[in-house]
Amino acid sequence: MTLTLTVSDEVRLLAPGFTHIAIEAHGLVNGPSTDGSSALLDDAARRLAARLEGRAPHEDAHMGAWREVYTAFGSKPSRTRNSAEALAKRALSEGGLPRINLLVDLYNAISVAHLIPVGGEDVDRIEGGMRLVRATGEEDFVTVAGGEEAVEHPDAGEVVWRDDAGVTCRRWNWRQGPRTRLTEDTASGIFLLESLAPMPVADVEAAATELAELLEKFSPGARIAVGSPVS
């Protein structure tokens, strides 16, 4: 791994059951969604439905744990859902999952199939290392509102991912900023799988392995490194 990721002591205290696995990949080939990536999203929705057996996503124990943590740092989980719950809700809706681009489709498929938050960032757009911290409220989060660039600030105490330039993702994994997102020009990416107890670490590892295999399949020759689980 060439990119460092650290989790602050404050976040570990807030969520002692937190585990994450990072996959760093170089030499990726991205582009518009394909029939292959679209089929993966459809299959992920079927796998999710089988996993839930008629329950709503928030009734899953893992999603319940994320809701508890969101509440603990001051967010309303029914309004700002973690990324996996939000995707799962869309997967089960009539409209289904969105098609974004090839790489985003791949990690969204893994997120939905395993019901685990998964994010992807363009390594070449990250400044310094990535850190999971509780915000002071003064950090910049550059986003887009009404078609124009806008700067927001997280709430004090909110859990955010950030680099040296500012916040890259608000409310842990709720909303990613456009600065570091994966675009069709992305050649190097970092993919982060995040879990809380009671999800077994072995389940996180299985999801990471599946994502790494998909990255290799759709970007033959890419250099892919899967990190060890970090708790």
Side-chain angles (χ1 to χ4, degrees), residues 8 11 18 57 69 75-76 107 111 120 126 147 158 166-167 215-216 228:
S8 73
V11 172
F18 176 59
V69 167
S75 289
K76 294 183 178 180
Y107 78 71
S111 177
I126 295 170
E158 180 182 323
V167 173
L215 292 171
E216 187 173 14
S228 300

Side-chain angles (χ1 to χ4, degrees), residues 39-227:
L40 284 170
L41 290 170
D42 289 339
D43 182 62
R46 288 189 289 269
R47 292 167 65 182
L48 172 68
R51 173 188 289 266
L52 291 174
E53 298 180 319
R55 294 173 296 149
H58 72 267
E59 295 177 286
D60 176 82
H62 188 215
M63 295 298 93
W66 278 104
R67 283 190 165 220
E68 289 178 6
V69 167
Y70 268 51
T71 300
F73 66 77
S75 289
K76 294 183 178 180
S78 59
R79 181 182 300 173
T80 54
R81 295 177 176 87
N82 75 80
S83 64
E85 184 183 330
L87 271 179
K89 188 175 175 64
R90 294 192 68 172
L92 298 174
S93 71
E94 185 176 342
L97 288 165
R99 275 57 173 165
I100 307 298
N101 61 51
L102 178 59
L103 291 177
V104 175
D105 289 353
L106 297 186
Y107 78 71
N108 278 350
I110 295 300
S111 177
V112 169
H114 293 267
L115 205 50
I116 180 174
V118 184
E121 307 276 359
D122 190 320
V123 170
D124 295 328
R125 299 184 179 197
I126 295 170
E127 298 188 24
M130 292 181 62
R131 307 184 293 283
L132 186 65
V133 302
R134 300 197 70 173
T136 65
E138 298 178 356
E139 300 88 347
D140 287 344
F141 177 71
V142 180
T143 186
V144 176
E148 300 290 334
E149 184 176 288
V151 178
E152 298 177 356
H153 303 283
D155 299 328
E158 180 182 323
V159 177
V160 299
W161 279 102
R162 64 159 302 162
D163 64 1
D164 290 350
V167 173
T168 57
C169 195
R170 285 199 60 189
R171 293 179 186 150
W172 208 312
N173 47 44
W174 167 63
R175 194 206 313 172
Q176 182 187 36
R179 173 171 60 89
T180 58
R181 68 187 175 193
L182 303 178
T183 70
E184 293 184 14
D185 296 324
T186 297
S188 297
I190 187 85
F191 301 86
L192 190 63
L193 298 88
E194 302 179 298
S195 73
L196 294 169
M199 174 172 272
V201 174
D203 289 2
V204 189
E205 292 177 311
T209 297
E210 187 176 347
L211 178 53
E213 290 172 348
L214 288 175
L215 292 171
E216 187 173 14
K217 175 182 177 180
F218 284 85
S219 293
R223 303 182 306 281
I224 300 169
V226 181

